[in-house]
Amino acid sequence: KLIPILQYIDAHYTEKIQISELSKLIHVCDDRLIRSFKEVIGETPVEYIVNVRVEHALKLLMEEDFSITEIAEQSGFGSATYMTRVFKQKLGIPPGKCKPEHE
């Protein structure tokens, strides 16, 4: 039952996603969605979305030569400041430390 939500998040993680949008996809109230999502996936929809964004940002940091600001925008964070805060919270390091050193 959560597959449409996971597919939606995968397709739209770069955009602002409201819980109410996700709830409508499977015709449940917001609280029910959050509860079911956490039971099945192990984290809330918001945590899941942030983790998808972190994974995408890490991939861009490793493979592309974009600025931190560009990567934040392309990953759905909205700002480099917010992405940096999330990286420090989840990974213990700022995004710049995830970039390979170019010689």
Side-chain angles (χ1 to χ4, degrees), residues 50-90:
V50 169
N51 287 333
V52 168
R53 289 174 176 160
V54 167
E55 286 177 30
H56 181 72
L58 280 170
K59 184 176 181 207
L60 290 177
L61 285 163
M62 299 302 288
E63 297 175 0
E64 304 292 338
D65 195 27
F66 295 124
S67 72
I68 300 297
T69 301
E70 290 171 315
I71 291 171
E73 291 170 3
Q74 291 180 30
S75 301
F77 283 104
S79 77
T81 304
Y82 176 55
M83 185 173 95
T84 298
R85 190 171 5 145
V86 169
F87 265 63
K88 286 180 179 177
Q89 181 185 44
K90 294 200 168 286

Side-chain angles (χ1 to χ4, degrees), residues 8-9 12-13 15-19 21-22 49 53:
Y8 183 88
I9 292 169
H12 298 276
Y13 67 88
E15 305 164 19
K16 185 173 176 118
I17 300 174
Q18 301 289 334
I19 295 298
E21 291 175 66
L22 301 176
I49 293 165
R53 289 174 176 160

Side-chain angles (χ1 to χ4, degrees), residues 2 4-6 8-9 12 15-38 41 43-50 53:
L2 295 176
I5 291 172
L6 297 174
Y8 183 88
I9 292 169
H12 298 276
E15 305 164 19
K16 185 173 176 118
I17 300 174
Q18 301 289 334
I19 295 298
S20 58
E21 291 175 66
L22 301 176
S23 300
K24 288 176 188 173
L25 291 172
I26 60 170
H27 311 289
V28 297
C29 69
D30 295 355
D31 291 340
R32 176 78 176 140
L33 167 69
I34 293 167
R35 205 169 33 254
S36 297
F37 199 94
K38 183 145 178 126
I41 305 297
E43 55 193 357
T44 68
V46 172
E47 291 168 334
Y48 182 84
I49 293 165
V50 169
R53 289 174 176 160

